[in-house]
Amino acid sequence: MKKTILAIATLAFLAWGCSSDSDEETRPTGISEGTDARPAWTTPNYDLYEQTMSVDILLQDELVQYASEQDLLCAIINNEVRGVATAKQVDNQWLFPLTVASNDTGVMVQLSYYCDKLHRIFTINWTQFDASVAPTGTDGIYKPIFATGTGD
């Protein structure tokens, strides 16, 4: 009888140790909730620029679970908004059809991604402006890394 009580106590202790008192979802290291308000990015007047670059941006895998139709993507050149895209869900992936405007080839484009569920804006140096880039592809410009997992 003593062994049965000890076994039950051990199982209860193990079950208690494995349970979670929190309803929070588990986030990859480095992805945390913020306090950023939804930005008021507006699409530029593309007629004011000589060139455009249209690219379909896929959201990185680590951020997909937090994505929603309220998310935004913004392209910035020389501290000016040069393109804005809203999220669209295609199959199990989130896509941002982005058109970026510029008068100069080779200038650095930054991307800012606003995640509504996390209330965060992630900003990265993305690529150089090139109007000849294909709209879709498989390299890093089509699926940029916003959260690195080590303190984004």
Side-chain angles (χ1 to χ4, degrees):
M1 180 73 169
K2 195 175 191 183
K3 287 183 182 181
T4 304
I5 293 173
L6 184 59
I8 292 172
T10 302
L11 287 173
F13 178 74
L14 288 174
W16 175 75
C18 293
S19 69
S20 174
D21 292 336
S22 172
D23 289 334
E24 286 185 36
E25 25 185 302
T26 303
R27 293 192 175 107
T29 304
I31 297 178
S32 58
E33 191 166 334
T35 58
D36 295 327
R38 182 178 173 82
W41 297 323
T42 57
T43 304
N45 179 350
Y46 294 110
D47 293 334
L48 299 177
Y49 299 94
E50 295 175 9
Q51 303 173 65
T52 59
M53 171 177 143
S54 295
V55 182
D56 287 342
I57 304 291
L58 291 171
L59 190 59
Q60 81 178 78
D61 297 339
E62 292 80 2
L63 292 172
V64 168
Q65 64 183 319
Y66 309 109
S68 74
E69 291 179 350
Q70 302 305 311
D71 293 1
L72 293 172
L73 188 73
C74 172
I76 301 167
I77 297 176
N78 296 327
N79 296 317
E80 294 178 11
V81 173
R82 300 291 184 90
V84 177
T86 57
K88 298 182 185 331
Q89 191 166 23
V90 178
D91 297 323
N92 291 324
Q93 185 57 270
W94 288 90
L95 174 76
F96 294 86
L98 180 67
T99 299
V100 184
S102 181
N103 289 325
D104 302 306
T105 298
V107 294
M108 180 55 66
V109 180
Q110 284 185 318
L111 280 186
S112 288
Y113 164 63
Y114 172 70
C115 180
D116 188 65
K117 287 183 181 176
L118 293 175
H119 306 289
R120 287 233 8 227
I121 297 173
F122 299 86
T123 300
I124 60 167
N125 285 327
W126 177 46
T127 192
Q128 292 184 340
F129 181 88
D130 182 355
S132 68
V133 168
T136 60
T138 57
D139 66 12
I141 71 164
Y142 301 100
K143 197 170 193 177
I145 304 300
F146 291 102
T148 61
T150 57
D152 50 41

